[in-house]
């Protein structure tokens, strides 16, 4: 199976699955992994760790049978770094992008509706119920971080649509200029107005450590979307 070089997209779907994990909750949970504008704001290590562990579980489920342990320790995409490091870098980039996109939501009249909130609450509840306390502890998962990730997903999904609609109406998106290229260029321009500083020492705490072991006899994957698809 060919691995895609770009693994994390802006919009994501939450996959719920029963997973067996071991390990301790990450240290420095509330420390800023990503400082924004010299202390003006930030993204915590705890939240980034949850997103990392969640994506690790997804990749282990999708590619673990094909690649085994080498999935995380080798250069699987030809990018010159281990897959674990590439996932970490992509997560940092994604979290920065999501932050900026939310900051521009008002410009596109994008908001989280009551219906969105209800879907987020329901999906969060299901996630917390379908994973054991040891799994949730190893992921650093609580209702707050799960809701935060889902809320970010909804914002990005809605913003992608709103940006595309406006771009087409303005004539900025044509057959020769795809919506994805237009959105990426716009977001990169927005990001240039922010200063993001990553704490490399804290980033090293995001580790694979063979935490995830899939029990195929008990695993039951359910795909849920808060995006109304």
């Amino acid at each position: 199976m060919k691995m895609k070089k770009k693994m994390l997209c802006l919009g994501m779907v939450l996959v719920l699955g029963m997973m067996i994990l071991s390990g301790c909750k990450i240290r420095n949970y509330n420390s800023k992994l990503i400082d924004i504008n010299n202390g003006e704001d930030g993204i915590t290590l705890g939240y980034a760790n949850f997103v990392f562990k969640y994506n690790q579980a997804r990749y282990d489920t999708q590619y673990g049978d094909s690649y085994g342990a080498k999935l995380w320790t080798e250069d699987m995409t030809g990018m010159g770094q281990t897959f674990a490091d590439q996932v970490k870098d992509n997560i940092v980039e994604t979290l920065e992008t999501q932050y900026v996109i939310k900051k521009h939501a008002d410009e596109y009249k994008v908001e989280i509706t009551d219906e969105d909130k209800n879907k987020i609450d329901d999906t969060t509840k299901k996630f917390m119920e379908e994973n054991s306390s040891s799994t949730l502890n190893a992921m650093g998962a609580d209702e707050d971080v799960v809701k935060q990730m889902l809320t970010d997903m909804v914002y990005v999904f809605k913003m992608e649509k709103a940006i595309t609609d406006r771009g087409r109406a303005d004539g900025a998106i044509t057959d020769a200029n795809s919506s994805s290229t237009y959105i990426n260029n716009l977001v990169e321009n927005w990001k240039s107005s922010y200063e993001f500083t990553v704490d490399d020492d804290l980033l090293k705490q995001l580790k694979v450590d063979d935490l995830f072991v899939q029990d195929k006899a008990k695993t039951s994957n359910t795909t849920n979307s808060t995006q109304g698809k």
Side-chain angles (χ1 to χ4, degrees):
M1 185 181 299
K2 186 177 181 180
M3 304 287 291
K4 293 182 178 179
K5 291 186 177 181
K6 189 65 175 179
M7 298 159 295
L8 298 183
C9 58
L10 296 182
M12 295 186 290
V13 175
L14 184 65
V15 179
L16 304 177
M18 299 302 292
M19 295 171 289
I20 300 174
L21 290 79
S22 62
C24 301
K25 192 171 182 179
I26 197 166
R27 296 177 288 108
N28 303 317
Y29 190 85
N30 293 317
S31 299
K32 286 183 182 179
L33 173 65
I34 306 173
D35 180 84
I36 302 171
N37 291 345
N38 295 313
E40 180 181 302
D41 209 344
I43 299 171
T44 66
L45 176 66
Y47 179 57
N49 179 68
F50 169 68
V51 176
F52 177 73
K53 292 294 191 292
Y54 168 74
N55 277 278
Q56 182 191 334
R58 291 176 59 225
Y59 289 123
D60 277 342
T61 300
Q62 187 172 1
Y63 298 114
D65 287 344
S66 299
Y67 296 101
K70 73 176 185 179
L71 172 64
W72 297 100
T73 59
E74 296 187 8
D75 180 2
M76 304 300 294
T77 63
M79 299 293 288
Q81 60 183 161
T82 65
F83 190 62
D85 286 339
Q86 189 179 352
V87 171
K88 286 195 289 185
D89 288 347
N90 284 345
I91 285 173
V92 167
E93 180 183 351
T94 297
L95 295 180
E96 292 172 355
T97 297
Q98 290 175 340
Y99 177 88
V100 171
I101 283 178
K102 287 188 294 181
K103 286 293 185 180
H104 289 265
D106 287 346
E107 298 173 23
Y108 289 82
K109 296 181 171 54
V110 167
E111 61 181 10
I112 301 298
T113 65
D114 288 340
E115 181 181 1
D116 294 329
K117 291 177 182 178
N118 289 334
K119 288 181 179 180
I120 290 169
D121 288 343
D122 290 344
T123 306
T124 298
K125 181 180 179 182
K126 190 170 184 179
F127 185 89
M128 300 299 291
E129 290 176 348
E130 291 195 358
N131 290 283
S132 67
S133 58
S134 61
T135 294
L136 297 173
N137 182 67
M139 294 182 79
D142 57 29
E143 289 191 1
D144 288 341
V145 294
V146 176
K147 285 183 180 181
Q148 183 178 349
M149 187 173 77
L150 289 167
T151 300
D152 287 351
M153 292 178 187
V154 175
Y155 264 117
V156 169
F157 175 76
K158 287 189 163 188
M159 281 291 284
E160 285 179 330
K161 184 179 184 305
I163 293 170
T164 298
D165 290 344
R166 183 179 296 184
R168 286 175 177 162
D170 294 343
I173 297 177
T174 64
D175 291 340
N177 182 16
S178 70
S179 60
S180 60
T181 299
Y182 177 78
I183 292 171
N184 288 337
N185 289 340
L186 181 63
V187 171
E188 286 304 310
N189 183 58
W190 288 344
K191 288 176 72 173
S192 66
S193 299
Y194 295 81
E195 182 177 349
F196 296 101
T197 304
V198 179
D199 188 321
D200 291 332
D201 289 334
L202 291 180
L203 186 63
K204 292 177 182 177
Q205 290 194 41
L206 303 187
K207 296 181 179 180
V208 177
D209 291 336
D210 298 324
L211 291 178
F212 291 83
V213 179
Q214 189 174 0
D215 186 344
K216 294 182 180 179
K218 298 179 180 180
T219 297
S220 174
N221 291 328
T222 303
T223 301
N224 291 276
S225 174
T226 60
Q227 302 168 351
K229 290 185 178 179

